[in-house]
Amino acid sequence: MMLQLLPEFAALGALLILFFVTLGNNVSDRAARWITLALSGFVLVAAIAAQDQSGLMFANSYKLDTYSQFFKILMAFGLMANALLGWPLRSVPTAQRSEYYFLFFAAGLAMMLLASAFSFLVLYVAMELLSYSLYTMVGMRRARTESIESSVKYIIIGATASAIGLFGVSYIYGATGSLNFGALIDSLKGTTTHSALLMPGLVMVLSSFLFKLAAFPFHAWAPDAYETASSPVAMFLASVSKLAGIAFLFRLVYMVKPYMPEFETVIGILALITMTFGNLVAFRQTSVKRLFAYSSIAQAGYLMLGMIGFGDSAPVAVVFYSAIYLLMNLVVFAVVLELERYGEDPTLASFQGLYKRNALMAMALLVALFSLAGVPPLAGFFGKWLLFSSAAQGGHIWFVAFAILNSVLSLYYYLFLVKAAYFGDVPKEAVSLDKGGSRIAILVTTIAIALLGLYPRVLTEYLTGLNFPRSLLP
Amino acid sequence: MTIPILSLIILCPAIGVVLLFFVPEGKEKIVRGIALAVSIIAAFLSVWMYLAYDRAAAGFQFIEQYAWMPGLNSTYHVAVDGVGMTLVLLNAIVMLTGVITSFSIDFRVKEYFILFLLLVTGVFGSFICMDFLLFFIFFEIAVLPMYLLIGIWGSTNREYAALKLTIMLLAGSGLVFVGLIMTYFASDVRTFDFITLRDSGGFSPSFQNIVYPLMFLGFGTLAAVFPFHNWSPDGHVAAPTAVSMLHAGVLMKLGAYGVLRYGIELFPQGAVHWGPVAATMAAGGVVYGALVAAQQTDLKYMIGYSSVSHMGLVMFGLAAGTPLAINGAVYQMFSHGIMTALFFSAVGFFYEQTHSRNINEYGGLARKVPWVATCFIIAGLAGVGLPGLAGFPAEFMIFMGGFERFPVLTLIAVPSLVFGAFYMLRVLQKVFFGPEAGFTPKVHDIGIFSGSARVLLAGLIILFGIAPRLLSDLIAPYAMELLK
């Protein structure tokens, strides 16, 4: 069992180590960061080591399969990247920085649990662990009262969403007599007429995930949280924490949709509303972090559309896009963080003349933005191709047409940033961005985005080899 | 082993891009030298290929195919037929003359040439890729650098024009993307390979009727088909000279090429079904472009709108679909490409010296700068279809072919040419002849190096006007083949 749950134990161990090491505040910020980096590397190694594990555990409520294990690798990679790039925690009071690293791993552990959850109970516990860690992380930026405000907003929306979800679970329990996913699917398989409780129950459970993904109509916390939280936290929210929601939601959708076509339509419509809303509202933003909050709302919409794709191709599409979504957001926020070293909360104006202040970062930003907009030949294009073609194959060509229109819309605000970074001159008061920073990490990630677009085979063939459809269906 | 000439042609500008990345900041001579060198090599290879193309055999030649995405049945498959050959040649010419014209760019030179060559790479790739997915990727590479090229180095209202252009073209490629997905899943063969799709795609007539409009509008936006043309005059005006040359000279042809290849060839029944609508839009563009061009006092706007009119002719020929009309349309793509490149390069020459493009601020330029004036006049006369210049055979074939299928529309479109001729002659008279006026005294004659680009273009206009067979030998077999 120890070996099977290696990544989870590694995350738990990391959490405990950090807890004891940082007890009493005698560890410097720098040391804590290095310890975190080392431990997250250890978690990544553990996740890779456990990639072939499979099986049902703990009374069929916890499932290891190629899908969950691959997501754990992605999450561990995301944690490590966050530990590497998401630094320094300038706006978090010194006394609390060690707690940040502790919460960092608590959230990491919860995400891994979510990837494997196979019962509504595990799901709920993991969800709450993740949410509470994130609430606290968002509220850590004491110097800005809005940070507390958005944390409270986050808690209220989050609590509402989990209450609704929990209520939905009670319906499902009433309909099937079990909290286990296997039992849910068995009861779906048996009959063509489902209990009247099932559909409302599922939709309510769905809503708690829409909250995690910041999908419409549970998106309202995201813009405030991204904007007012300390930037490394925003990076964490935008990149790795989304993976957990995606990982679990897709598992549920994938299992349920063959038996309940109407569930598919619900997700499809919500996906469209989510992406349209995210894209349209992003137009008007001047704060860059807020803009990316809306952009990531829209991105969640594309992913949801891929979730209702054709059975054999949807899993690879969703996982591939999740992976590159992670990369793109890491690059974008790494650039934001660099800019933030010389003044807080970047606006569109702070990107002015970036090409002259630091050509590498301007280029990384350009690549990441075009990739987010889904422009060939970058990875984002190929990811969208997989998502959309899978949805089209599943018979949703109209949804796809609408989603493509959305991608074009999104280019509009991504171009704002490109414009700021490349047109015009450097403002006089701007500081040089010549030294320090995570140049190499940014460069490597950017190259990965470009290469995955030109040669996506590297990843898609590996993912196809993992045979997700078989491991996802019970 | 045969020489992979098509790959070499794509690689020229692509290698240029990579090399330029490593040139240190401030070494502008090296940057320009590299750009010039790769474009000379690409032009040389294109001419060589033009000579080596087996006209008797026709069909696709210089074929290369390597695996790229086997899971999707997408390959790196390059080949040219008569149309591809013509357009590759056009692109090589415009690229070379564009690079020469761009020597006057004096800030952020390295980035400029990187983007310029990237754009050219995309255009070459689109013209020779016989794989729909890869074609689409190259197509986007050709469109996107435009945003930065116009936004950074442009003039009048550049940020607005750049944004409008990018969004409209991307919306167009969005339509193509939808069509691409539908084509892939509706075909019997599940491949992106163009030749396989065309020969054994098995698309039902009702499916063709749905997809063809996506292709026509999607690519048509890039070809500035009326009423989706309005990004183009703004874009031309704002863009720096060489980018206007590429844009009007080659990129708009890429749109027409897309309609021909991935619209008409893939979905012939859809094309016939929508023919009347397409022809009406195209004829609308011909008339509208000519009328609006006549109202302009800005030389670039005038050329921009006359481009809309000329591209309308190309689309009209394609919509008519008779062999003669298609032949004329492809011929027009080539001759209009060279002609507008020359136009924009001449206007750019004046603008750089006086910062004015207003017709009323010039007069009597012919005495001051006889070489450039002659080039401009040749382009202008070719534009109005004077026999003996490259525009004439093209327009003649389009109208002859078009009349067979759409007599009324043809009769509507023809008078606009007369109107255009009248106006063009007035502009030529005003700007080049008559008393010296306005900014004219400030204009100095052109240097030999930069003049060579204009003279080359003007020479080609005359050459392809006198000897249309140089091209129609390539195009005619294609057009005949298409009709089967």
Side-chain angles (χ1 to χ4, degrees), chain B residues 155-456:
Chain B
S155 52
T156 326
N157 221 354
R158 58 180 190 210
E159 291 184 7
Y160 165 76
L163 194 61
K164 181 167 164 184
L165 175 144
T166 314
I167 296 290
M168 280 193 70
L169 295 189
L170 262 281
S173 44
L175 291 180
V176 174
F177 192 39
V178 176
L180 173 72
I181 292 180
M182 287 170 74
T183 308
Y184 182 67
F185 288 111
S187 74
D188 297 339
V189 281
R190 280 298 154 83
T191 175
F192 285 107
D193 193 70
F194 169 73
I195 297 169
T196 321
L197 277 177
R198 184 189 62 184
D199 295 341
S200 43
F203 302 109
S204 70
S206 58
F207 177 78
Q208 297 198 9
N209 291 348
I210 297 171
V211 177
Y212 182 75
L214 295 177
M215 297 296 176
F216 181 78
L217 295 179
F219 287 121
T221 308
L222 181 56
V225 67
F226 180 78
F228 302 101
H229 63 278
N230 64 351
W231 57 271
S232 120
D234 288 332
H236 290 323
V237 171
T241 304
V243 175
S244 298
M245 289 168 70
L246 260 187
H247 185 190
V250 188
L251 260 186
M252 288 166 84
K253 275 75 202 170
L254 183 50
Y257 171 83
V259 172
L260 178 60
R261 191 72 96 198
Y262 295 95
I264 296 171
E265 276 199 62
L266 271 191
F267 310 109
Q269 282 151 308
V272 172
H273 180 82
W274 289 97
V277 179
T280 311
M281 288 166 75
V286 174
V287 177
Y288 174 87
L291 292 180
V292 179
Q295 311 293 320
Q296 305 304 322
T297 50
D298 184 319
L299 277 171
K300 262 190 156 183
Y301 263 116
M302 187 195 86
I303 302 165
Y305 278 105
S306 77
S307 283
V308 171
S309 176
H310 282 124
M311 285 310 291
L313 277 178
V314 172
M315 300 307 277
F316 185 71
L318 294 181
T322 59
L324 198 57
I326 299 257
N327 203 336
V330 178
Y331 207 105
Q332 171 79 342
M333 287 189 213
F334 185 85
S335 57
H336 177 249
I338 299 219
M339 191 174 86
T340 29
L342 181 51
F343 261 139
F344 279 120
S345 118
V347 174
F349 169 72
F350 300 133
Y351 182 74
E352 273 160 26
Q353 303 192 22
T354 63
H355 286 275
S356 166
R357 295 184 300 243
N358 194 324
I359 293 168
N360 299 323
E361 286 170 358
Y362 289 105
L365 273 173
R367 269 185 307 264
K368 194 85 184 172
V369 281
W371 278 100
V372 183
T374 312
C375 291
F376 193 96
I377 291 167
I378 289 174
L381 294 178
V384 301
L386 187 78
L389 299 175
F392 175 72
E395 288 172 14
F396 183 72
M397 285 189 279
I398 291 173
F399 285 131
M400 287 290 283
F403 191 77
E404 279 176 52
R405 184 128 187 258
F406 302 114
V408 179
L409 286 173
T410 311
L411 289 180
I412 293 174
V414 170
S416 69
L417 280 190
V418 180
F419 185 71
F422 163 71
Y423 184 72
M424 177 61 76
L425 292 177
R426 265 197 48 200
V427 170
L428 294 180
Q429 191 267 332
K430 167 86 189 65
V431 173
F432 294 105
F433 303 102
E436 245 180 53
F439 285 113
T440 303
K442 283 194 193 170
V443 179
H444 301 289
D445 209 353
I446 197 162
I448 292 176
F449 174 68
S450 128
S452 64
R454 279 90 172 178
V455 172
L456 174 66

Side-chain angles (χ1 to χ4, degrees), chain A residues 164-183:
Chain A
I164 297 175
L166 209 51
F167 191 53
V169 170
S170 75
Y171 272 25
I172 294 172
Y173 186 72
T176 64
S178 167
L179 286 174
N180 193 283
F181 291 170

Side-chain angles (χ1 to χ4, degrees), chain A residues 67 71 246 250 303 306-307 313-323 387:
Chain A
Y67 175 79
F71 256 108
I246 296 163
F250 182 61
L303 271 161
M307 289 184 188
S313 54
V316 171
V318 170
V319 176
F320 184 88
Y321 202 79
S322 310
L387 288 179

Side-chain angles (χ1 to χ4, degrees), chain A residues 355 363 375-377 381-382 385 388-389 392-393 397 400-401 404 408 411-412 415 418-419 422-423 454-457 461, chain B residues 21 68-70 72 108 111 136-137 140-141 144 147-148 151-152 159 163 166-167 170-171 174 177-178 181-182 185 192:
Chain A
Y355 78 94
M363 185 135 89
V375 164
F381 165 73
F382 205 79
W385 157 260
F388 294 169
S389 68
Q393 210 179 355
I397 186 73
V400 169
I404 291 174
V408 176
L411 192 71
Y412 184 71
L415 284 182
V418 174
K419 185 167 103 180
Y422 275 92
F423 301 4
L454 287 173
Y455 220 62
R457 258 171 90 178
E461 278 180 3
Chain B
F21 266 111
W68 180 55
M69 290 286 302
L72 288 171
R108 293 169 81 176
E111 288 161 286
F136 185 75
I137 290 175
E140 296 288 326
I141 296 179
L144 278 168
Y147 178 70
L148 294 170
I152 299 174
E159 291 184 7
L163 194 61
T166 314
I167 296 290
L170 262 281
F177 192 39
V178 176
I181 292 180
M182 287 170 74
F185 288 111
F192 285 107

